[in-house]
């Protein structure tokens, strides 16, 4: 039973990939998916960017015995 389910799943995946790469409509769909994923990644990068900079500044300040403002400047350059 599991082997049959695996075969059906594989066939469906192969059909979806073939549709995306072998048809003009699939090309348009790929472009839409790519744009959507790119926008979401940009949103995540922006939301995590400030958090990353704060964490990096705290780490640099603690490990290098720098003031928080100097560490923020370094974190801005690194991030």
């Amino acid at each position: 039973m599991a082997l049959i389910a695996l075969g059906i799943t594989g066939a469906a995946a192969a059909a979806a990939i073939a549709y995306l790469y072998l048809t003009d409509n699939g090309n348009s769909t790929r472009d839409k998916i790519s744009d959507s994923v790119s926008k979401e990644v940009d949103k995540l990068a922006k939301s995590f960017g400030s958090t990353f900079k704060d964490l990096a500044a705290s780490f640099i300040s603690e490990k290098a015995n720098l003031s928080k403002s100097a560490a923020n400047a370094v974190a801005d350059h690194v991030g």
Side-chain angles (χ1 to χ4, degrees), residues 6 9 14 16 24-26 28 31 35-36 38 42 48 52 59 64 66-67 70-71 75:
L6 183 62
T9 303
D24 289 334
N25 197 18
S28 173
D31 290 342
D35 291 344
S36 176
S38 179
D42 288 343
F48 286 118
F52 172 74
F59 180 79
L66 292 175
S67 68

Side-chain angles (χ1 to χ4, degrees), residues 7-35:
I8 291 171
T9 303
I17 291 170
Y19 172 77
L20 289 175
Y21 283 97
L22 299 177
T23 64
D24 289 334
N25 197 18
N27 188 26
S28 173
T29 304
R30 272 197 339 263
D31 290 342
K32 288 178 185 177
I33 292 170
S34 177
D35 291 344

Side-chain angles (χ1 to χ4, degrees), residues 41-57 72 75-76 78-79:
V41 168
D42 288 343
K43 285 181 192 176
L44 285 173
K46 287 178 183 177
S47 66
F48 286 118
S50 61
T51 303
F52 172 74
K53 287 180 184 177
D54 290 340
L55 288 172
N72 278 330
D76 283 339
V78 171

